[in-house]
């Protein structure tokens, strides 16, 4: 089933770069001129809706908080059943609570496939195997703290895939011998206590 192929309303936007104005044109009603630099720009969010196919057994991830429905940004759920004639998906969350998602409503469609997660959103989660894709030139993720968060989610094995092993270790600051020894010792303890296999 396609999640997000039907829309409640289609609102067009036009941008005027000279006046830094965004013109919001709803299908019905009044047109609004908005200047983000003057008000609301730091609280605005923009989303691009894409068609997504879900099947029974798929994992999905919520991408926006919905406190009334007890769904948190970053939480995951398993697709249990799909209504082929409507736009509803029955999911089971990690706390075993089941919810019916009516994807005809825009507020419910903040979901995406949940097989891959960012390092930030994976904090606190665990799984049997971790495959981390970390590019050596990504300054916001290539540090020892982020690399540790990524691999420490694993119960049995972890693998880091990167564009260059040499550049990756240099980006982590491993050229400093003392630091490298400290990390090696930490990983050694990690392996001995957990039995986790780490490959880079």
């Amino acid at each position: 089933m396609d999640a997000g192929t039907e829309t409640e309303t289609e609102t067009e936007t036009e941008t005027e770069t000279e006046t830094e104005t965004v013109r919001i044109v709803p299908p019905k009603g009044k047109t609004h001129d908005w200047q983000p630099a003057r008000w609301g720009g730091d609280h605005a969010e923009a989303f691009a809706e894409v068609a997504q196919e879900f099947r029974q057994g798929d994992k999905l991830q919520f991408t926006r908080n919905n406190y009334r429905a007890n769904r948190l940004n970053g939480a995951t759920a398993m697709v249990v059943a799909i209504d082929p004639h409507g736009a509803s998906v029955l999911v089971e969350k990690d706390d075993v609570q089941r919810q019916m998602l009516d994807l005809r409503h825009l507020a419910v469609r903040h979901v995406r496939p949940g097989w891959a997660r960012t390092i930030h959103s994976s904090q606190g989660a665990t799984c049997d195997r971790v495959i981390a894709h970390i590019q050596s030139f990504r300054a916001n993720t290539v540090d020892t703290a982020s690399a540790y968060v990524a691999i420490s989610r694993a119960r049995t094995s972890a693998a880091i895939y990167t564009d260059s092993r040499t550049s990756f270790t240099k980006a982590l600051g491993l050229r400093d011998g003392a630091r490298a020894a400290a990390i090696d010792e930490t990983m050694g303890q990690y392996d001995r206590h957990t039995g986790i296999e780490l490959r880079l």
Side-chain angles (χ1 to χ4, degrees):
M1 109 172 259
D2 283 342
T5 54
E6 298 180 25
T7 57
E8 295 171 334
T9 60
E10 293 195 12
T11 301
E12 296 180 10
T13 59
E14 303 169 1
T15 305
E16 296 180 11
T17 55
E18 291 180 7
T19 60
E20 298 182 342
T21 301
V22 177
R23 177 162 290 147
I24 302 168
V25 185
K28 297 178 181 178
K30 186 179 178 182
T31 297
H32 300 279
D33 286 344
W34 173 46
Q35 293 180 307
R38 294 184 65 186
W39 58 272
D42 54 345
H43 298 292
E45 296 178 311
F47 300 94
E49 191 170 47
V50 296
Q52 178 62 56
E53 188 175 285
F54 290 108
R55 292 182 173 86
Q56 186 176 359
D58 282 352
K59 182 174 277 194
L60 60 79
Q61 182 180 30
F62 302 108
T63 59
R64 193 176 194 182
N65 288 326
N66 185 333
Y67 296 111
R68 291 181 64 189
N70 194 27
R71 294 193 293 267
L72 299 180
N73 182 20
T76 58
M78 190 70 69
V79 176
V80 176
I82 294 174
D83 175 7
H85 303 294
S88 297
V89 177
L90 178 66
V91 299
E92 183 175 289
K93 300 193 306 179
D94 293 339
D95 61 4
V96 195
Q97 179 189 8
R98 290 190 173 192
Q99 288 188 348
M100 184 67 76
L101 307 180
D102 186 349
L103 298 173
R104 291 172 297 181
H105 298 291
L106 186 63
V108 179
R109 293 201 297 258
H110 291 275
V111 294
R112 67 180 174 199
W115 300 112
R117 303 175 75 166
T118 64
I119 291 174
H120 177 74
S121 69
S122 70
Q123 293 186 66
T126 56
C127 58
D128 290 335
R129 294 176 299 279
V130 167
I131 299 173
H133 177 236
I134 305 176
Q135 294 171 311
S136 63
F137 57 88
R138 301 284 184 189
N140 59 330
T141 56
V142 183
D143 58 49
T144 52
S146 294
Y148 175 77
V149 169
I151 63 175
S152 63
R153 305 303 93 203
R155 294 189 193 97
T156 58
S157 67
I160 295 175
Y161 289 85
T162 186
D163 54 313
S164 166
R165 180 182 178 132
T166 302
S167 298
F168 179 73
T169 53
K170 286 181 180 178
L172 289 179
L174 299 185
R175 286 173 289 185
D176 177 11
R179 198 169 188 185
I183 291 176
D184 287 342
E185 176 62 21
T186 301
M187 290 311 303
Q189 292 174 1
Y190 189 67
D191 289 343
R192 285 194 298 275
H193 293 307
T194 65
I196 290 177
E197 171 197 0
L198 175 67
R199 293 182 290 116
L200 174 61

